[in-house]
Amino acid sequence: ASHEGHVVSAQELTALLQPVFTQNSRNLILFLQDTLSIDDFTYLSESYGNKNPFQNEILQSSPSSLVLPAVDCKATRDLLSFLQESGDWKLTNVTDLDVSHLEVNTSKPNLLVVQLQPLVSGLNEISTLEAIAENDKIIGRLTMDLQERGIHFSVIYTAVRPSRISRRTDVVWELRRQLMATEEEDSLSYLPLNVTTGNETCILFYASNFSLNANSSVFIDLTNATFVTRSVDTSSSTCSDFNTTLSLKYTEPVNKISSLEIRFLMTNKFYGGSARNWFTLDSVEIIQDGEKFAKFNVSVISAPAEYSFHCQLVGTSNRYPARLIPSNNEAKNWDVFISRLQIQGFNIENNQFSYASDCTGFFSPGIWMGLVTSIILLWILTYGIHMIMQLTTNSRFDDPKGPALSVPQTE
Protein backbone atom coordinates (compact mmCIF):
# COMPACT_ATOMS: atom_id res chain seq x y z
CA ALA A 1 0.00 0.00 0.00
CA SER A 2 1.30 3.45 -0.90
CA HIS A 3 0.39 6.73 0.74
CA GLU A 4 -1.76 9.21 -1.14
CA GLY A 5 0.35 11.53 -3.23
CA HIS A 6 3.50 9.43 -2.80
CA VAL A 7 5.71 9.22 -5.89
CA VAL A 8 7.70 6.00 -6.16
CA SER A 9 11.40 6.71 -6.62
CA ALA A 10 13.88 4.74 -8.71
CA GLN A 11 15.26 2.95 -5.62
CA GLU A 12 11.77 2.00 -4.45
CA LEU A 13 10.82 0.75 -7.91
CA THR A 14 13.92 -1.45 -7.99
CA ALA A 15 12.96 -3.02 -4.67
CA LEU A 16 9.35 -3.56 -5.75
CA LEU A 17 10.40 -5.34 -8.95
CA GLN A 18 12.81 -7.74 -7.29
CA PRO A 19 10.12 -10.46 -6.75
CA VAL A 20 9.59 -10.54 -10.52
CA PHE A 21 13.20 -11.62 -11.07
CA THR A 22 13.20 -14.29 -8.36
CA GLN A 23 10.28 -16.25 -9.81
CA ASN A 24 10.81 -19.49 -11.74
CA SER A 25 9.35 -17.96 -14.88
CA ARG A 26 11.43 -15.02 -16.00
CA ASN A 27 9.60 -14.05 -19.16
CA LEU A 28 8.85 -10.35 -18.85
CA ILE A 29 6.80 -8.09 -21.12
CA LEU A 30 7.23 -4.31 -20.93
CA PHE A 31 4.38 -2.37 -22.53
CA LEU A 32 5.65 1.18 -22.94
CA GLN A 33 3.35 4.08 -23.82
CA ASP A 34 4.25 7.73 -24.28
CA THR A 35 1.79 9.10 -21.68
CA LEU A 36 -0.36 7.46 -19.01
CA SER A 37 -1.74 8.33 -15.58
CA ILE A 38 -3.74 6.41 -13.02
CA ASP A 39 -6.58 8.91 -13.50
CA ASP A 40 -7.00 7.76 -17.12
CA PHE A 41 -8.44 4.44 -15.94
CA THR A 42 -11.30 6.16 -14.12
CA TYR A 43 -11.81 9.33 -16.14
CA LEU A 44 -11.88 7.73 -19.59
CA SER A 45 -13.88 4.73 -18.35
CA GLU A 46 -16.64 6.84 -16.79
CA SER A 47 -16.81 9.72 -19.26
CA TYR A 48 -17.83 7.73 -22.31
CA GLY A 49 -20.15 5.06 -20.93
CA ASN A 50 -20.03 1.98 -23.16
CA LYS A 51 -16.82 3.16 -24.83
CA ASN A 52 -14.60 1.95 -22.00
CA PRO A 53 -11.13 1.66 -23.59
CA PHE A 54 -9.84 -0.67 -20.88
CA GLN A 55 -11.47 -4.01 -21.70
CA ASN A 56 -8.56 -6.18 -20.61
CA GLU A 57 -9.02 -8.13 -17.40
CA ILE A 58 -5.45 -9.35 -17.16
CA LEU A 59 -4.94 -7.37 -13.96
CA GLN A 60 -7.89 -9.09 -12.27
CA SER A 61 -7.11 -12.56 -13.64
CA SER A 62 -3.42 -12.55 -12.70
CA PRO A 63 -2.45 -14.40 -9.49
CA SER A 64 -0.66 -11.32 -8.17
CA SER A 65 -0.56 -7.68 -9.16
CA LEU A 66 0.84 -4.34 -8.09
CA VAL A 67 -0.53 -0.89 -9.00
CA LEU A 68 1.68 2.14 -8.49
CA PRO A 69 -0.37 5.35 -8.91
CA ALA A 70 2.68 7.58 -9.39
CA VAL A 71 6.26 6.75 -10.38
CA ASP A 72 9.11 9.19 -10.81
CA CYS A 73 9.72 9.95 -14.49
CA LYS A 74 13.44 9.37 -14.09
CA ALA A 75 12.70 5.87 -12.82
CA THR A 76 10.58 5.00 -15.84
CA ARG A 77 13.15 6.44 -18.23
CA ASP A 78 15.86 4.20 -16.73
CA LEU A 79 13.54 1.20 -16.40
CA LEU A 80 14.61 -0.50 -19.63
CA SER A 81 18.30 -0.14 -18.78
CA PHE A 82 17.66 -1.50 -15.30
CA LEU A 83 15.76 -4.50 -16.64
CA GLN A 84 18.55 -5.33 -19.09
CA GLU A 85 21.15 -5.18 -16.34
CA SER A 86 19.06 -7.25 -13.90
CA GLY A 87 19.49 -10.54 -15.76
CA ASP A 88 20.65 -12.40 -18.81
CA TRP A 89 17.65 -11.51 -20.93
CA LYS A 90 17.05 -12.17 -24.58
CA LEU A 91 15.85 -8.71 -25.57
CA THR A 92 13.17 -8.50 -28.28
CA ASN A 93 11.83 -5.14 -29.42
CA VAL A 94 8.29 -5.67 -30.68
CA THR A 95 7.76 -2.76 -33.07
CA ASP A 96 5.45 -4.60 -35.46
CA LEU A 97 2.22 -4.47 -33.46
CA ASP A 98 0.90 -7.53 -35.31
CA VAL A 99 1.91 -10.04 -32.62
CA SER A 100 0.37 -13.10 -34.25
CA HIS A 101 3.74 -14.26 -35.65
CA LEU A 102 5.81 -13.45 -32.55
CA GLU A 103 8.26 -16.23 -31.66
CA VAL A 104 9.27 -16.74 -28.03
CA ASN A 105 12.07 -19.15 -27.13
CA THR A 106 11.44 -20.28 -23.55
CA SER A 107 14.85 -21.96 -23.19
CA LYS A 108 16.18 -18.71 -21.72
CA PRO A 109 14.62 -15.64 -20.10
CA ASN A 110 12.92 -13.28 -22.54
CA LEU A 111 12.40 -9.55 -22.23
CA LEU A 112 9.81 -8.32 -24.72
CA VAL A 113 9.63 -4.53 -25.12
CA VAL A 114 6.42 -3.47 -26.86
CA GLN A 115 6.32 0.17 -27.97
CA LEU A 116 2.62 1.04 -28.02
CA GLN A 117 1.32 3.69 -30.40
CA PRO A 118 1.47 7.26 -29.07
CA LEU A 119 -1.58 9.07 -27.75
CA VAL A 120 -2.36 12.26 -29.66
CA SER A 121 -3.49 14.00 -26.49
CA GLY A 122 -3.04 17.45 -27.97
CA LEU A 123 -6.07 17.04 -30.24
CA ASN A 124 -9.09 15.81 -28.32
CA GLU A 125 -10.15 13.19 -25.81
CA ILE A 126 -11.93 11.06 -28.43
CA SER A 127 -8.61 10.52 -30.25
CA THR A 128 -6.94 9.64 -26.96
CA LEU A 129 -9.77 7.25 -26.14
CA GLU A 130 -9.43 5.44 -29.47
CA ALA A 131 -5.63 5.20 -29.17
CA ILE A 132 -5.82 3.74 -25.65
CA ALA A 133 -8.48 1.27 -26.77
CA GLU A 134 -6.24 0.12 -29.64
CA ASN A 135 -3.29 -0.27 -27.27
CA ASP A 136 -5.50 -2.23 -24.91
CA LYS A 137 -6.36 -4.64 -27.75
CA ILE A 138 -2.65 -5.10 -28.52
CA ILE A 139 -1.96 -5.95 -24.88
CA GLY A 140 -4.87 -8.39 -24.90
CA ARG A 141 -3.80 -10.12 -28.12
CA LEU A 142 -0.21 -10.65 -26.96
CA THR A 143 -1.03 -11.84 -23.46
CA MET A 144 -3.78 -14.18 -24.68
CA ASP A 145 -1.44 -15.64 -27.30
CA LEU A 146 1.21 -16.39 -24.68
CA GLN A 147 -1.37 -17.87 -22.31
CA GLU A 148 -2.64 -20.19 -25.03
CA ARG A 149 0.91 -21.39 -25.62
CA GLY A 150 1.27 -22.14 -21.90
CA ILE A 151 4.06 -19.59 -21.42
CA HIS A 152 4.27 -18.01 -17.96
CA PHE A 153 5.13 -14.34 -17.92
CA SER A 154 4.99 -11.09 -15.99
CA VAL A 155 3.77 -7.78 -17.41
CA ILE A 156 4.77 -4.18 -16.74
CA TYR A 157 2.49 -1.50 -18.21
CA THR A 158 3.86 2.00 -17.85
CA ALA A 159 4.63 5.21 -19.74
CA VAL A 160 7.46 7.62 -20.29
CA ARG A 161 5.64 10.53 -18.66
CA PRO A 162 2.28 11.26 -17.02
CA SER A 163 -0.68 12.41 -19.07
CA ARG A 164 -2.19 14.40 -16.23
CA ILE A 165 -0.38 16.79 -13.86
CA SER A 166 -1.50 17.40 -10.31
CA ARG A 167 -2.98 20.82 -9.65
CA ARG A 168 -1.82 21.19 -6.06
CA THR A 169 -1.18 24.77 -4.99
CA ASP A 170 2.54 24.13 -4.55
CA VAL A 171 2.99 23.09 -8.20
CA VAL A 172 0.56 25.42 -9.96
CA TRP A 173 3.45 27.62 -11.04
CA GLU A 174 4.85 24.68 -13.01
CA LEU A 175 1.72 24.42 -15.16
CA ARG A 176 2.30 27.50 -17.27
CA ARG A 177 3.80 26.94 -20.69
CA GLN A 178 7.51 26.35 -20.34
CA LEU A 179 10.13 26.03 -23.05
CA MET A 180 13.58 24.59 -22.64
CA ALA A 181 15.07 27.98 -23.51
CA THR A 182 13.93 29.62 -20.28
CA GLU A 183 13.52 26.84 -17.76
CA GLU A 184 15.76 24.13 -16.38
CA GLU A 185 15.05 20.68 -17.73
CA ASP A 186 12.04 19.32 -15.84
CA SER A 187 11.42 15.73 -14.88
CA LEU A 188 9.28 15.12 -17.97
CA SER A 189 11.92 15.97 -20.56
CA TYR A 190 14.80 14.20 -22.20
CA LEU A 191 18.00 15.97 -22.97
CA PRO A 192 17.96 17.38 -26.52
CA LEU A 193 20.00 15.75 -29.26
CA ASN A 194 23.00 17.89 -30.14
CA VAL A 195 25.26 17.87 -33.19
CA THR A 196 28.72 19.37 -32.75
CA THR A 197 31.44 20.61 -35.07
CA GLY A 198 34.69 20.64 -33.18
CA ASN A 199 33.86 21.88 -29.70
CA GLU A 200 30.81 23.91 -30.70
CA THR A 201 27.20 22.78 -30.90
CA CYS A 202 25.62 23.68 -34.23
CA ILE A 203 22.25 21.83 -34.06
CA LEU A 204 19.86 21.12 -31.19
CA PHE A 205 16.85 18.86 -31.68
CA TYR A 206 14.21 17.79 -29.17
CA ALA A 207 10.84 16.02 -29.28
CA SER A 208 8.81 14.27 -26.61
CA ASN A 209 7.54 11.84 -29.25
CA PHE A 210 9.08 11.12 -32.64
CA SER A 211 7.34 8.39 -34.62
CA LEU A 212 6.54 7.37 -38.18
CA ASN A 213 4.06 5.10 -39.92
CA ALA A 214 5.02 3.48 -43.22
CA ASN A 215 2.29 2.37 -45.62
CA SER A 216 -0.26 2.64 -42.79
CA SER A 217 0.99 -0.70 -41.45
CA VAL A 218 4.55 -0.43 -40.08
CA PHE A 219 4.78 1.73 -36.95
CA ILE A 220 8.24 3.12 -36.10
CA ASP A 221 8.87 4.85 -32.77
CA LEU A 222 12.22 6.65 -32.90
CA THR A 223 11.94 8.51 -29.58
CA ASN A 224 13.96 6.05 -27.54
CA ALA A 225 16.69 5.55 -30.16
CA THR A 226 17.05 9.31 -30.70
CA PHE A 227 16.97 10.74 -27.17
CA VAL A 228 17.50 7.89 -24.68
CA THR A 229 19.86 5.24 -26.03
CA ARG A 230 21.32 7.71 -28.57
CA SER A 231 21.78 4.87 -31.07
CA VAL A 232 21.12 7.28 -33.93
CA ASP A 233 23.98 8.23 -36.27
CA THR A 234 24.31 12.00 -36.87
CA SER A 235 27.72 11.94 -38.57
CA SER A 236 26.25 12.97 -41.95
CA SER A 237 24.87 16.21 -40.54
CA THR A 238 26.33 19.41 -41.97
CA CYS A 239 26.53 22.90 -40.48
CA SER A 240 27.30 26.33 -41.94
CA ASP A 241 26.23 29.93 -41.47
CA PHE A 242 23.58 29.67 -44.17
CA ASN A 243 22.67 26.00 -44.68
CA THR A 244 22.32 23.30 -42.05
CA THR A 245 21.21 19.69 -42.41
CA LEU A 246 20.32 17.43 -39.50
CA SER A 247 20.79 13.82 -40.61
CA LEU A 248 19.42 11.01 -38.42
CA LYS A 249 20.41 7.48 -39.48
CA TYR A 250 18.87 4.39 -37.88
CA THR A 251 19.94 0.79 -38.43
CA GLU A 252 17.06 -1.71 -38.47
CA PRO A 253 14.55 0.48 -36.63
CA VAL A 254 11.96 -2.26 -37.28
CA ASN A 255 12.08 -5.76 -38.71
CA LYS A 256 10.92 -4.81 -42.20
CA ILE A 257 13.30 -1.85 -42.64
CA SER A 258 17.08 -2.36 -42.65
CA SER A 259 18.07 1.32 -42.68
CA LEU A 260 16.31 4.63 -42.33
CA GLU A 261 17.63 8.17 -42.71
CA ILE A 262 15.68 11.33 -41.87
CA ARG A 263 17.00 14.73 -42.92
CA PHE A 264 15.91 18.17 -41.70
CA LEU A 265 17.10 20.85 -44.15
CA MET A 266 17.35 24.36 -42.70
CA THR A 267 18.44 27.69 -44.21
CA ASN A 268 19.39 31.08 -42.81
CA LYS A 269 18.49 34.03 -45.05
CA PHE A 270 18.21 37.81 -44.81
CA TYR A 271 14.73 39.25 -45.50
CA GLY A 272 14.50 42.92 -46.35
CA GLY A 273 10.88 43.24 -45.19
CA SER A 274 11.85 42.58 -41.58
CA ALA A 275 15.45 43.79 -41.94
CA ARG A 276 16.82 40.72 -40.21
CA ASN A 277 17.90 37.12 -40.79
CA TRP A 278 15.38 34.29 -40.39
CA PHE A 279 15.98 30.56 -40.21
CA THR A 280 13.46 28.23 -41.85
CA LEU A 281 13.01 24.48 -41.96
CA ASP A 282 12.53 24.11 -45.72
CA SER A 283 12.00 20.37 -46.13
CA VAL A 284 12.15 16.98 -44.47
CA GLU A 285 13.45 13.93 -46.34
CA ILE A 286 13.06 10.23 -45.53
CA ILE A 287 15.32 7.67 -47.17
CA GLN A 288 14.40 4.01 -46.63
CA ASP A 289 16.93 1.25 -47.31
CA GLY A 290 18.98 3.66 -49.45
CA GLU A 291 16.42 3.45 -52.26
CA LYS A 292 13.00 4.86 -51.45
CA PHE A 293 13.12 8.65 -51.20
CA ALA A 294 10.27 10.67 -49.67
CA LYS A 295 10.32 14.46 -49.50
CA PHE A 296 8.05 16.78 -47.53
CA ASN A 297 7.70 20.53 -47.85
CA VAL A 298 7.27 22.30 -44.53
CA SER A 299 4.85 25.06 -43.59
CA VAL A 300 5.01 27.55 -40.72
CA ILE A 301 8.35 26.40 -39.25
CA SER A 302 10.46 29.56 -39.19
CA ALA A 303 11.94 31.91 -36.58
CA PRO A 304 14.44 34.76 -36.27
CA ALA A 305 17.96 33.44 -36.82
CA GLU A 306 18.88 33.98 -33.16
CA TYR A 307 15.86 32.00 -31.91
CA SER A 308 14.87 28.37 -31.76
CA PHE A 309 11.52 27.07 -33.02
CA HIS A 310 8.93 25.24 -30.91
CA CYS A 311 5.62 23.62 -31.81
CA GLN A 312 3.35 21.31 -29.87
CA LEU A 313 2.35 19.13 -32.84
CA VAL A 314 4.18 18.70 -36.14
CA GLY A 315 3.35 16.09 -38.77
CA THR A 316 1.49 15.10 -41.89
CA SER A 317 -2.01 15.47 -40.46
CA ASN A 318 -4.14 18.44 -41.53
CA ARG A 319 -5.02 19.04 -37.89
CA TYR A 320 -1.47 19.86 -36.80
CA PRO A 321 -0.38 23.52 -36.48
CA ALA A 322 2.84 22.84 -38.44
CA ARG A 323 2.42 20.49 -41.41
CA LEU A 324 4.72 18.29 -43.46
CA ILE A 325 3.28 18.37 -46.99
CA PRO A 326 4.21 15.46 -49.32
CA SER A 327 6.01 16.71 -52.42
CA ASN A 328 6.43 13.36 -54.22
CA ASN A 329 4.49 10.11 -54.51
CA GLU A 330 6.70 8.18 -52.08
CA ALA A 331 6.00 10.74 -49.35
CA LYS A 332 2.30 9.86 -49.50
CA ASN A 333 3.15 6.45 -48.03
CA TRP A 334 4.47 7.99 -44.80
CA ASP A 335 2.75 9.48 -41.76
CA VAL A 336 4.92 11.55 -39.44
CA PHE A 337 4.08 12.55 -35.87
CA ILE A 338 6.32 14.79 -33.75
CA SER A 339 5.09 16.23 -30.47
CA ARG A 340 6.69 19.12 -28.58
CA LEU A 341 9.22 19.75 -31.33
CA GLN A 342 12.00 22.23 -30.62
CA ILE A 343 14.81 22.73 -33.10
CA GLN A 344 17.62 25.20 -33.66
CA GLY A 345 20.25 25.10 -36.39
CA PHE A 346 22.02 28.47 -36.06
CA ASN A 347 23.53 30.79 -33.43
CA ILE A 348 23.55 28.29 -30.55
CA GLU A 349 25.17 29.58 -27.38
CA ASN A 350 26.23 27.63 -24.27
CA ASN A 351 24.86 24.38 -25.76
CA GLN A 352 21.31 25.51 -24.94
CA PHE A 353 18.22 26.43 -26.90
CA SER A 354 17.74 30.15 -27.44
CA TYR A 355 14.43 31.91 -26.84
CA ALA A 356 11.75 29.92 -28.67
CA SER A 357 9.42 31.23 -31.34
CA ASP A 358 6.23 29.20 -31.06
CA CYS A 359 4.07 28.06 -33.97
CA THR A 360 0.91 29.16 -32.16
CA GLY A 361 -0.04 32.67 -33.29
CA PHE A 362 -0.72 35.45 -30.82
CA PHE A 363 -4.36 35.70 -31.88
CA SER A 364 -5.92 32.34 -31.11
CA PRO A 365 -9.54 31.51 -32.15
CA GLY A 366 -10.67 32.24 -28.60
CA ILE A 367 -9.09 35.69 -28.64
CA TRP A 368 -10.65 36.50 -32.01
CA MET A 369 -14.07 35.37 -30.77
CA GLY A 370 -13.74 37.55 -27.68
CA LEU A 371 -12.64 40.56 -29.72
CA VAL A 372 -15.50 40.23 -32.23
CA THR A 373 -18.06 39.82 -29.43
CA SER A 374 -16.66 42.85 -27.59
CA ILE A 375 -16.79 44.97 -30.76
CA ILE A 376 -20.44 44.02 -31.40
CA LEU A 377 -21.44 44.83 -27.81
CA LEU A 378 -19.49 48.10 -27.93
CA TRP A 379 -21.28 49.06 -31.19
CA ILE A 380 -24.71 48.32 -29.61
CA LEU A 381 -23.78 50.42 -26.56
CA THR A 382 -22.57 53.30 -28.75
CA TYR A 383 -25.71 53.19 -30.88
CA GLY A 384 -27.92 53.18 -27.77
CA ILE A 385 -26.13 56.16 -26.23
CA HIS A 386 -26.37 58.01 -29.55
CA MET A 387 -30.14 57.41 -29.75
CA ILE A 388 -30.65 58.52 -26.16
CA MET A 389 -28.73 61.73 -26.84
CA GLN A 390 -31.13 62.51 -29.73
CA LEU A 391 -34.14 62.64 -27.39
CA THR A 392 -35.47 66.20 -26.68
CA THR A 393 -37.87 67.48 -24.01
CA ASN A 394 -40.80 69.90 -24.47
CA SER A 395 -39.92 73.60 -24.17
CA ARG A 396 -43.60 74.69 -23.79
CA PHE A 397 -46.54 73.17 -21.91
CA ASP A 398 -50.35 73.55 -21.93
CA ASP A 399 -51.82 76.13 -19.52
CA PRO A 400 -55.21 74.87 -18.27
CA LYS A 401 -56.39 78.47 -17.73
CA GLY A 402 -55.34 79.72 -21.13
CA PRO A 403 -55.95 78.77 -24.74
CA ALA A 404 -54.81 75.36 -26.01
CA LEU A 405 -51.21 75.11 -27.06
CA SER A 406 -50.77 74.90 -30.79
CA VAL A 407 -47.61 73.17 -32.01
CA PRO A 408 -46.74 73.67 -35.70
CA GLN A 409 -45.92 70.53 -37.65
CA THR A 410 -42.43 71.88 -38.32
CA GLU A 411 -41.64 71.46 -34.63
Side-chain angles (χ1 to χ4, degrees):
S2 58
H3 300 289
E4 182 181 0
H6 176 66
V7 178
V8 177
S9 64
Q11 293 79 6
E12 292 172 327
L13 182 63
T14 301
L16 290 170
L17 293 179
Q18 284 301 327
V20 177
F21 309 134
T22 58
Q23 297 174 355
N24 294 329
S25 173
R26 296 183 59 192
N27 295 310
L28 181 62
I29 309 174
L30 174 62
F31 291 103
L32 191 59
Q33 204 163 269
D34 59 340
T35 61
L36 185 70
S37 293
I38 192 68
D39 295 336
D40 293 333
F41 290 89
T42 53
Y43 177 77
L44 294 176
S45 298
E46 296 174 356
S47 298
Y48 298 96
N50 298 329
K51 296 182 179 180
N52 184 0
F54 302 101
Q55 300 290 341
N56 261 320
E57 296 183 358
I58 185 173
L59 193 64
Q60 290 79 8
S61 61
S62 61
S64 63
S65 61
L66 173 66
V67 178
L68 302 175
V71 179
D72 188 2
C73 291
K74 294 181 179 179
T76 57
R77 277 187 292 185
D78 299 334
L79 179 60
L80 182 57
S81 300
F82 165 71
L83 293 176
Q84 290 177 297
E85 296 171 358
S86 62
D88 185 19
W89 301 98
K90 177 187 176 184
L91 178 63
T92 303
N93 287 298
V94 183
T95 52
D96 187 357
L97 299 182
D98 182 10
V99 297
S100 58
H101 304 292
L102 180 65
E103 296 182 1
V104 179
N105 184 4
T106 57
S107 61
K108 64 179 301 183
N110 292 277
L111 174 58
L112 306 179
V113 180
V114 183
Q115 295 279 353
L116 299 174
Q117 65 177 350
L119 310 183
V120 191
S121 56
L123 299 178
N124 53 59
E125 293 176 353
I126 299 296
S127 300
T128 304
L129 183 78
E130 294 173 351
I132 289 182
E134 184 61 30
N135 289 342
D136 188 70
K137 292 178 183 178
I138 295 169
I139 296 173
R141 286 198 300 266
L142 179 56
T143 54
M144 286 297 295
D145 181 66
L146 295 179
Q147 285 178 346
E148 291 174 356
R149 299 188 203 178
I151 300 175
H152 298 282
F153 58 89
S154 299
V155 172
I156 298 177
Y157 181 30
T158 187
V160 177
R161 63 184 188 277
S163 59
R164 302 173 187 275
I165 302 176
S166 171
R167 293 188 176 273
R168 302 192 309 269
T169 55
D170 57 338
V171 295
V172 167
W173 66 275
E174 297 179 356
L175 300 182
R176 67 182 187 273
R177 186 179 72 178
Q178 299 177 358
L179 299 184
M180 297 174 66
T182 56
E183 297 289 342
E184 294 293 331
E185 181 195 8
D186 58 16
S187 61
L188 307 182
S189 302
Y190 300 113
L191 289 174
L193 178 71
N194 62 332
V195 177
T196 59
T197 54
N199 296 326
E200 295 183 357
T201 300
C202 62
I203 303 175
L204 285 175
F205 174 66
Y206 170 82
S208 63
N209 188 296
F210 183 26
S211 56
L212 311 173
N213 199 326
N215 299 315
S216 301
S217 59
V218 181
F219 177 75
I220 311 170
D221 190 349
L222 302 175
T223 310
N224 189 65
T226 307
F227 303 104
V228 182
T229 62
R230 302 295 174 109
S231 57
V232 61
D233 179 14
T234 60
S235 59
S236 298
S237 301
T238 59
C239 297
S240 70
D241 293 337
F242 304 102
N243 295 282
T244 296
T245 300
L246 172 61
S247 174
L248 306 175
K249 292 183 178 180
Y250 305 88
T251 303
E252 293 187 358
V254 291
N255 295 332
K256 298 180 180 180
I257 298 177
S258 60
S259 66
L260 187 68
E261 182 181 4
I262 303 175
R263 299 173 183 167
F264 295 83
L265 284 73
M266 295 168 280
T267 58
N268 179 11
K269 295 181 180 179
F270 178 81
Y271 291 86
S274 57
R276 68 181 306 168
N277 281 58
W278 287 72
F279 103 82
T280 57
L281 177 59
D282 296 325
S283 61
V284 175
E285 300 174 350
I286 300 176
I287 304 173
Q288 176 189 342
D289 300 329
E291 299 176 353
K292 299 180 179 179
F293 176 78
K295 183 176 181 180
F296 300 87
N297 294 326
V298 182
S299 67
V300 179
I301 299 184
S302 62
E306 300 81 10
Y307 291 6
S308 64
F309 176 84
H310 175 271
C311 195
Q312 190 68 22
L313 289 173
V314 177
T316 51
S317 174
N318 295 330
R319 297 175 292 180
Y320 297 163
R323 286 194 59 207
L324 303 182
I325 305 170
S327 63
N328 62 2
N329 292 330
E330 182 63 29
K332 298 177 182 179
N333 298 326
W334 290 89
D335 292 322
V336 183
F337 171 74
I338 308 175
S339 64
R340 293 179 63 186
L341 168 74
Q342 190 162 0
I343 190 170
Q344 184 173 355
F346 305 95
N347 303 311
I348 297 175
E349 298 179 358
N350 301 322
N351 297 328
Q352 294 181 349
F353 279 113
S354 303
Y355 177 84
S357 175
D358 200 89
C359 62
T360 302
F362 179 78
F363 287 98
S364 64
I367 294 177
W368 278 114
M369 184 172 63
L371 286 175
V372 171
T373 304
S374 300
I375 292 173
I376 293 175
L377 293 177
L378 183 61
W379 180 83
I380 294 174
L381 177 63
T382 304
Y383 179 77
I385 294 176
H386 174 73
M387 295 301 294
I388 292 175
M389 293 178 64
Q390 298 302 315
L391 295 177
T392 58
T393 57
N394 294 333
S395 59
R396 291 175 293 173
F397 300 92
D398 277 328
D399 184 359
K401 296 182 180 180
L405 181 64
S406 175
V407 180
Q409 292 183 356
T410 57
E411 296 184 9

